[in-house]
Amino acid sequence: MPGRRMEEFEIDRKPTRKPAKQKFYEFLYNEETGAIMGRTPESWGKILIFYAIFYAVLVSLFAICLATFLQQFINPRVPRLQQDYGLIGTSPGLGFRPLPPDVRSTLIWYKGTGYDSYKFWEDQLIDFLSVYKNKGQTAGTGENIFDCRFDSLPPPGKVCDVDIRDLDPCTQENHFSFHKSSPCIFLKLNRIYGWWPDYYNPKELPHDMPEELQSHIRNITNYKEIYANMVWVSCQGETPADKENIGPIRYLPSPGFPGYFYPYNNAEGYLSPLVAVHLVRPKTGIVINIECRAWAKNIKYNRRDRLGVVHFELMIE
């Protein structure tokens, strides 16, 4: 219409699409906003500081946990639970060798002088004593072995030597005397980390200790009082008939474990002390029930629960 001004209208236009290459360049660096890869330098700075602190704290916590775990729980030389807190407790048990092939049995049986019959027991002892005879098989031996005596204790890092050469007739060369129907049985105390024996005073020996052992202790301590520092050992038949049938007994090298072997600290090359029990003339053709006991004030004794004592049977046809 005349006189009426024409109004202008804007028409929506479809925005032009930017090429992919341009979008990529703008993602790397946007000139309008100054953003780098979608973030401003200030934003990048904040997020980098956050993650630097986050991972530093995470690594520190992991390192502290790992160090604590390694020191307290995975020390190969020191058990985490000891004595009163461990499964073994504070009173060591007594073990014997050779062991029967059946773990449920404690019977040592063979036919007198027959080699094929006693060979099994001889081989058992040869294998058990191999680390004592060839000390190079044990880590650290040869370098840290010390010739201990009652008045010469091992220095730090050293372990006492266990010499099995002077146990005749309880030696491999002598077939451990099995061939003479007078076998040798080896005793050892079970290891308890940090355990120290509480020795008996020679003037205050327990009334139930065998009189023969009491006499030995008094005689040897009259010569040198320090010889009382022993975990003593005695073996006898369990019943009156067994006591009669067991015959004479010899203990080699002595009836006990010297105190200088303790405490046990799991040092490299440590070998448990041994006592060879030589049954000189046991009666043949009958089962003999034998009980061996370890003597120290802090070794509990209970025959029913087998505390401080070991039981086995001997049968020689």
Side-chain angles (χ1 to χ4, degrees):
M1 295 179 60
R4 184 176 290 185
R5 195 173 54 182
M6 294 182 63
E7 295 181 0
E8 294 181 359
F9 296 93
E10 291 185 359
I11 300 174
D12 291 338
R13 296 180 180 180
K14 189 176 181 180
T16 58
R17 297 182 62 181
K18 296 179 181 179
K21 187 175 183 181
Q22 184 179 352
K23 288 182 179 181
F24 178 71
Y25 287 142
E26 286 185 357
F27 170 74
L28 293 178
Y29 177 69
N30 191 316
E31 294 181 354
E32 295 179 2
T33 61
I36 301 172
M37 298 181 69
R39 291 182 180 273
T40 64
E42 182 181 0
S43 177
W44 276 115
K46 290 179 180 179
I47 199 170
L48 288 175
I49 292 173
F50 168 78
Y51 278 109
I53 296 173
F54 174 76
Y55 283 112
V57 172
L58 195 64
V59 170
S60 300
L61 289 175
F62 178 77
I64 292 171
C65 292
L66 185 63
T68 304
F69 186 76
L70 290 175
Q71 290 179 3
Q72 301 297 327
F73 298 95
I74 310 184
N75 189 329
R77 296 275 170 206
V78 181
R80 183 170 63 91
L81 301 177
Q82 300 179 22
Q83 300 199 29
D84 285 329
Y85 302 98
L87 295 175
I88 301 177
T90 58
S91 184
L94 196 62
F96 75 96
R97 298 292 189 280
L99 292 174
D102 187 346
V103 295
R104 298 168 297 180
S105 173
T106 54
L107 174 64
I108 298 175
W109 169 87
Y110 70 100
K111 295 181 180 180
T113 58
Y115 175 73
D116 291 337
S117 181
Y118 69 75
K119 181 181 183 301
F120 170 81
W121 307 106
E122 181 181 346
D123 290 343
Q124 284 270 314
L125 286 178
I126 291 174
D127 181 64
F128 170 67
L129 296 173
S130 62
V131 292
Y132 291 87
K133 190 171 184 179
N134 306 311
K135 296 182 174 62
Q137 296 180 9
T138 306
T141 51
E143 300 178 0
N144 60 343
I145 287 180
F146 186 77
D147 187 14
C148 301
R149 295 183 179 86
F150 287 98
D151 54 359
S152 180
L153 301 181
K158 299 290 185 177
V159 295
C160 294
D161 187 23
V162 182
D163 192 354
I164 62 169
R165 293 174 298 180
D166 299 327
L167 300 179
D168 190 70
C170 300
T171 61
Q172 177 180 344
E173 293 73 20
N174 198 45
H175 304 284
F176 305 106
S177 201
F178 273 83
H179 65 306
K180 295 181 179 180
S181 298
S182 57
C184 295
I185 310 299
F186 286 77
L187 303 179
K188 62 185 286 292
L189 273 181
N190 295 337
R191 301 175 182 181
I192 296 181
Y193 185 90
W195 182 80
W196 192 290
D198 186 5
Y199 309 112
Y200 278 113
N201 186 327
K203 298 178 181 179
E204 299 176 354
L205 297 174
H207 69 278
D208 54 342
M209 178 181 283
E211 183 59 39
E212 184 179 355
L213 179 57
Q214 292 191 40
S215 298
H216 172 82
I217 295 173
R218 294 190 184 101
N219 290 337
I220 197 170
T221 53
N222 284 337
Y223 173 71
K224 214 167 192 179
E225 190 174 349
I226 199 172
Y227 288 162
N229 297 344
M230 293 273 289
V231 178
W232 301 104
V233 168
S234 66
C235 294
Q236 61 182 2
E238 287 192 346
T239 67
D242 293 323
K243 292 177 181 178
E244 181 179 345
N245 294 330
I246 196 172
I249 301 175
R250 292 177 60 200
Y251 302 91
L252 304 166
S254 64
F257 307 103
Y260 48 72
F261 282 94
Y262 305 98
Y264 166 65
N265 291 321
N266 200 19
E268 281 194 8
Y270 178 89
L271 294 172
S272 299
L274 301 174
V275 172
V277 180
H278 180 210
L279 305 175
V280 181
R281 288 189 304 274
K283 190 171 182 179
T284 60
I286 191 172
V287 175
I288 305 173
N289 296 282
I290 301 172
E291 178 185 274
C292 295
R293 178 177 173 181
W295 297 87
K297 290 182 180 180
N298 55 344
I299 294 181
K300 299 176 182 178
Y301 171 73
N302 188 306
R303 174 179 287 182
R304 185 186 64 183
D305 296 333
R306 300 299 180 189
L307 294 177
V309 66
V310 68
H311 162 91
F312 59 93
E313 306 93 33
L314 176 68
M315 170 69 173
I316 305 175
E317 289 189 5

